[in-house]
């Protein structure tokens, strides 16, 4: 079975096309109302290389929660201020993924020490 629960993979390209078309339509319809961020997920290989796993599209509703969206945008851009006494900035770039639930969620974002405890 593929990620859509279908045995016959001949329809895979049609599903991807329809999903991309629906996403483009939604983004165009909400232009100026919502912000979008993209997170590319990469795997670290033993030889030091990286493999592209996919892209997550994140939609932020700044009208509903402006401070949360501004904080998240700063973390995505890698310019979030660290806690008092720390000189470095924080962000999701290079942040390890701790857990993936197929068809559900991706857990990442420990920008403090990468252990998944924060």
């Amino acid at each position: 079975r593929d990620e859509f629960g279908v045995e016959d993979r001949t329809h895979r390209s049609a599903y991807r096309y329809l999903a991309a078309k629906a996403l483009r339509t939604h983004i165009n319809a909400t232009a100026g109302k919502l912000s979008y961020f993209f997170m590319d997920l990469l795997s670290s290989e033993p030889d030091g290389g990286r493999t592209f796993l996919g892209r997550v599209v994140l939609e932020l509703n700044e009208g509903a929660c402006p401070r949360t969206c501004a904080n998240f945008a700063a973390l995505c851009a890698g310019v979030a201020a660290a806690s008092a006494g720390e000189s470095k900035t924080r962000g999701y770039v290079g942040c390890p993924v701790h857990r993936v639930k197929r068809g559900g969620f991706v857990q990442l974002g420990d920008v403090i020490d990468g252990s998944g405890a924060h």
Side-chain angles (χ1 to χ4, degrees):
R1 292 187 168 279
D2 66 6
E3 65 264 19
F4 304 107
V6 177
E7 291 281 342
D8 180 7
R9 295 176 186 243
T10 58
H11 296 92
R12 176 180 266 178
S13 62
Y15 292 137
R16 286 205 171 108
Y17 169 78
L18 291 172
K21 182 178 176 183
L23 178 61
R24 281 191 305 274
T25 301
H26 179 69
I27 289 172
N28 290 336
T30 59
K33 300 173 191 167
L34 303 171
S35 296
Y36 295 90
F37 286 84
F38 303 91
M39 221 179 249
D40 291 335
L41 300 178
L42 306 165
S43 69
S44 296
E45 303 298 333
D47 63 1
R50 295 184 179 257
T51 302
F52 178 75
L53 300 174
R55 173 172 278 181
V56 178
V57 180
L58 304 156
E59 178 182 87
L60 305 180
N61 185 340
E62 294 177 26
C65 45
R67 289 179 59 194
T68 301
C69 290
N71 182 46
F72 184 79
L75 286 168
C76 286
V79 296
S83 299
E86 294 182 1
S87 59
K88 67 178 186 172
T89 58
R90 293 189 177 154
Y92 291 125
V93 176
C95 190
V97 173
H98 304 290
R99 185 169 46 160
V100 176
K101 174 145 174 70
R102 185 180 179 101
F105 63 89
V106 177
Q107 180 183 354
L108 73 151
D110 185 346
V111 297
I112 296 174
D113 65 8
S115 69
H118 299 99

